[in-house]
């Protein structure tokens, strides 16, 4: 938020609306006039847990940026919580990053070899280091230079001594929109945050665009030489974004309903009820029901007081959450032929547990319908999918999956149906997790987790005492 007397408070409410995008940590950095020290509050957990009333009072100023973290690179610890702040020759800078860089490991190695000291193991910090040491021989501004060196996915908000900046990578993997409230401007990952604070939606930040909000108002430039090739993550439409948000001018819930309709056309079945897996399958199930004429029954009841299961990194907790999250209304499904609709099958844990619940409750037939294609490839741009060898669709044939899940039949939406439902051309999407066609190449040795692995390797290779001598003397 730029240019509003309640900048931090509005950022706080905005983060509430974006909580689904990350639940590990939350943070806000605010600033008053030029050269007064940035105010910072970061903590582990949900927005509602991290900030006290006093914190919000302390976060004074007319500019603020905030972040909720969902980690793909760097461990889930307080030190990796964002926004990250640094003091540089250009003054204070704070950054909040959504997405995953594919060359962060290599850039970091270069920077460290040159003497840079990193505070975190996130890829985002690399951007700050690059900004703080532009090459005067090249010109073009510190930020433009930094962005020309990082590859992969980034939607960024940056706060400097005078300005607030929103920037999107040339592919536009992750969303970023501009809003306006009174005389202030807002950058947000999704439009649902603008709705909450009563701000007006201005437009999306375009792929490859850098938008600056300062005393002069808004101005924009495109620092990249290559023309952008759009590659918005299609999984934002399928699962990640909130249903009340607009992406690429399309409402997400409506796209999900159309996915359900396509699914019913592709994989019809004789059944008595359509049951969504809440909340992820809710809209697709509605579409399936509308198209097929089979009545919708919300037979699964969700406990809303636990987080999104996939964000907890440990497998043990994931399995527990699958059970604690949903309960079934037995009488609704007993003796019935059930179509159960979910948005995606990743490892298969959720779908398998749901079929078991339905069988135990006496469902006569269970037909699984999934509103996206089988996941077969990793995401290198900011969605945390497991290693491809752990993806169910890579471990088994369609028949084996059906048997493993304990279902009577299984049907996935195909790529064409999914894209058609979004009402945007296929050329505008990144479909890599389904097709293996990666818009930005990546070196496997430079992939996510590389920063952690390098650190672990260094620790295991060098005995502690030796390391101390080597680095400090
Ligand atoms: P799984 O149990 O691993 O098959 O997870 C599938 C369920 O988790 C679906 O209901 C999805 O909505 C949800 N999900 C979405 N994204 C992810 C992700 N990145 N990792 C794991 N699960 C996800």
């Amino acid at each position: 938020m730029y240019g509003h007397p309640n900048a931090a408070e509005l950022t706080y409410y905005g983060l509430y609306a974006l909580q689904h995008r990350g639940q590990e940590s939350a943070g806000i950095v605010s600033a008053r006039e030029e050269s007064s020290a940035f105010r910072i509050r970061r903590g582990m957990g949900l927005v509602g847990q991290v900030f006290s009333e006093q914190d919000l009072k302390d976060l004074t100023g007319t500019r603020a940026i905030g972040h909720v973290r969902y980690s793909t690179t760097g461990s889930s610890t307080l030190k990796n919580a964002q926004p990250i702040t640094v003091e540089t020759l250009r003054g204070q800078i704070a950054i909040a990053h959504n997405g995953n860089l594919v060359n962060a490991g290599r850039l970091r190695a270069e920077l460290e070899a040159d003497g840079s000291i990193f505070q975190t193991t996130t890829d985002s910090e690399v951007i700050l280091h690059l900004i703080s040491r532009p090459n005067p021989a090249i010109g073009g501004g510190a930020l433009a230079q930094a962005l020309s060196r990082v590859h992969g996915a980034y939607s960024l908000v940056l706060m400097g001594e005078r300005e607030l900046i929103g920037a999107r990578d040339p592919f536009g993997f992750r969303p970023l929109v501009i809003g306006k409230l009174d005389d202030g401007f807002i950058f947000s990952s999704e439009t649902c945050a603008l709705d909450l604070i009563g701000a007006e939606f201005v437009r999306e930040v375009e792929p490859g665009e850098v938008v600056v909000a300062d005393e002069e108002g808004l101005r924009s430039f495109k620092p990249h030489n290559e023309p952008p090739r759009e590659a918005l993550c299609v999984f934002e439409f399928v699962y990640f974004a909130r249903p009340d948000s607009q992406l690429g001018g399309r409402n997400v819930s409506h796209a999900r309903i159309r996915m359900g309709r396509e699914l019913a056309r592709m994989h019809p079945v004789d059944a008595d009820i359509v049951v969504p897996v809440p909340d992820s399958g809710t809209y697709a199930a509605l579409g399936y029901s509308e198209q097929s004429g089979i009545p919708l029954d919300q037979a699964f009841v969700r406990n809303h007081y636990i987080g999104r299961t996939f964000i907890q990194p440990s497998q043990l907790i994931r399995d527990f959450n699958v059970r604690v999250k949903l309960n079934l209304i037995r009488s609704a499904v007993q003796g019935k032929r059930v179509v159960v609709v979910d948005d995606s099958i990743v490892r298969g844990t959720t779908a398998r547990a749901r079929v078991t619940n339905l069988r135990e409750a006496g469902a006569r037939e269970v037909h699984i319908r999934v509103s996206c294609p089988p996941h077969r490839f990793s995401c290198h741009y900011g969605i945390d999918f497991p290693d491809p060898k752990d993806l169910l669709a890579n471990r088994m044939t369609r028949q084996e999956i059906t048997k493993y899940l304990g279902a009577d039949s299984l049907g996935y939406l195909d790529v064409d149906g999914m894209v058609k439902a979004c009402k945007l051309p296929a050329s505008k999407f990144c479909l890599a997790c389904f097709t293996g066609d990666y818009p930005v190449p990546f070196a496997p040795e430079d992939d996510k987790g590389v920063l952690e692995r390098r650190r672990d390797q260094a620790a295991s290779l060098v005995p502690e005492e030796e390391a101390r001598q080597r680095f400090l003397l």
Side-chain angles (χ1 to χ4, degrees), residues 70 235 239 280 310 342-350 383-385:
Y70 158 62
F235 203 58
Y239 172 76
S280 49
F310 75 94
D342 203 357
D343 71 297
S344 56
I345 294 181
V346 180
R347 292 178 189 78
T349 323
T350 313
I383 301 282
D384 190 20
F385 293 130

Side-chain angles (χ1 to χ4, degrees), residues 17 107 202 228 237 250 261 269 281 296 305 318 350 386 447 454:
L107 290 172
V202 176
F237 270 107
R250 308 277 179 262
R261 286 180 164 274
V269 61
L296 185 79
Y305 301 97
R318 199 189 331 270
T350 313
D447 191 14
R454 270 190 329 109

Side-chain angles (χ1 to χ4, degrees), residues 35 88 108 354:
S35 71
T88 72
R108 179 169 172 145
R354 298 300 66 110

Side-chain angles (χ1 to χ4, degrees), residues 23-46:
Q23 296 161 332
E24 290 170 21
S25 64
I28 296 177
V29 176
S30 72
R32 278 185 295 179
E33 63 277 10
E34 200 179 324
S35 71
S36 64
F38 282 5
R39 308 238 165 178
I40 307 163
R41 169 74 185 128
R42 285 182 294 246
M44 297 304 290
L46 302 174

Side-chain angles (χ1 to χ4, degrees), residues 51-59:
F51 304 98
S52 66
E53 226 174 315
Q54 189 56 47
D55 290 333
L56 289 174
K57 282 193 189 126
D58 293 343
L59 287 163

Side-chain angles (χ1 to χ4, degrees), residues 168 175-178 191 201-207 209 211 230 232 246-250:
R168 241 173 129 196
L176 189 66
V177 298
I178 307 170
T191 57
F201 168 72
V202 176
R203 65 174 176 89
E204 297 193 342
V205 176
E206 289 173 24
E209 190 184 19
V211 182
E230 285 186 52
L232 174 66
Q246 300 281 121
L247 288 178
R250 308 277 179 262

